[in-house]
Amino acid sequence: MEKLIVKNFGPIKEAEIDLTKYVVFIGDTSTGKSVLAKLIAIFRDSFNFLSIQKDIQIIDFKKELKKYNINFNFDDSEIIYFGKKVNSNDYIKLLELKKDKIRLLNETNKEEFLKLFDNIQNETFEKLSLPTYIDFKKEQFLEIFYNDFFKSINSTYFPAERILYSLTGNSLSGLMANNVALPDCYKEFAAKYEVARKEISQIKYTAFNIEYNFENGLDEIYFGDNKILLNEASSGIQSLIPLLIVLENEISKNDFDTGKFLILEEPELNLFPIKQKRLIDHISLKTNNTKHKIVITTHSPYILSALDTLILAKNTFNEHPDLKGEINSIVSEDKWIDYEDISVYEVRNDGKVYSIKNEEFRSIDTNAIDGVSDIISEEFDKLTELRYAQ
């Protein structure tokens, strides 16, 4: 397992994040949820890059921040990325922010990663069956492989503004080709969506009762026999389709069995609660049996409740394995989430981050973030009392 510690960066005063299979941030607007999610992507990808580079030891932090449209002063910031030792509970420092550079700290780990990378390259090249008449040099292959490898293991960021890509439709190419004033992470998602919709082209999502079809440069949505263009669909569908299509393609294209972080900003956007629940089910179904990790930022208690149900299913099986059939009939086994595989944090206005996992019941403490229900209930009770007092 990995860990990220952040101190005095933007709205974040203090945060210690366990980078488990699932990482969830919930909190008020502008508390720093997205900042933390983006820092996870920056430091994980920086570690991958520096681990394979033989002569490069540092990365320009300002450049990485610009990619994600972050512009905070970090003179007093402390950010450290840790990895857990094999067969040990001890953590070792892998990366740290020093002045304006991300620095690699552990050469032993670098050597292991380099060896793994070289082995993967050589094995892949040896598997190729190339006709003798093709002038193909191993150096050319390695350069192509290097780029594909990084595309495969680098984080994929799903912006909250993904509805933009549904609205622009067949103008995506122009969006990427022209000097549009968008952060690089937005353009990268546009590029991934452009590729994904061509490679998948047609797919049915039974849980959402929709079918997607990409034909002649048009995104089409089918509801039964009814067809509409994506840019004419509801805002919920426009937000959902780019997420589903890119998620599908990113998971299917990882050929190196290394896993990557998939950063999902506000997956609940414009979705009715039942659709939010089905989306969480879909995400867990797609990623559970992979090495990918999911980072979610959200404002929705429904997202937490949906995740908590998947945890409860696994808890119930662990305690009563004889009930597997009954549990599976309620929540299918391929969606279950192990309590140890998820970290859930409330990011508060005081700049601190608090775990809201309940160790006693091995669940998410959804009551910890649903204070608004108490306020509404109190107001309702007082008004009801006044109404019927006479």
Side-chain angles (χ1 to χ4, degrees), residues 31 63 88 101 112 116 129 132 143 158 197 199 215 218-219 232 237 256 288 302 309 317 335 348 357 361:
T31 52
K63 184 177 180 181
S88 170
K101 297 293 188 294
E112 293 174 356
L116 171 66
S129 179
T132 55
E143 183 177 350
F158 296 71
R197 62 185 189 162
E199 295 192 355
E215 189 173 3
L218 297 176
D219 299 279
E232 298 172 351
I237 297 299
F256 303 107
N288 267 353
Y302 298 116
T309 300
F317 168 74
K335 299 172 188 171
R348 297 183 187 170
K357 289 176 66 176
F361 295 102

Side-chain angles (χ1 to χ4, degrees), residues 43-92:
F43 276 77
R44 181 69 182 311
D45 294 349
S46 295
F47 175 70
N48 290 340
F49 178 77
L50 291 174
S51 293
I52 294 175
Q53 296 297 326
K54 295 181 179 179
D55 301 319
I56 301 175
Q57 299 293 320
I58 60 175
I59 285 179
D60 187 338
F61 187 49
K62 287 183 179 178
K63 184 177 180 181
E64 296 302 307
L65 292 180
K66 185 177 180 181
K67 172 183 173 182
Y68 285 99
N69 199 33
I70 301 175
N71 186 26
F72 294 127
N73 183 288
F74 50 86
D75 291 341
D76 299 323
S77 301
E78 180 182 352
I79 305 177
I80 307 174
Y81 175 77
F82 292 84
K84 205 168 196 177
K85 290 183 178 179
V86 179
N87 301 321
S88 170
N89 289 323
D90 296 333
Y91 284 91
I92 55 174

Side-chain angles (χ1 to χ4, degrees), residues 371-383:
V372 67
S373 294
D374 295 334
I375 296 171
I376 293 171
S377 179
E378 182 182 355
E379 290 177 347
F380 186 89
D381 289 344
K382 287 179 178 179
L383 290 169

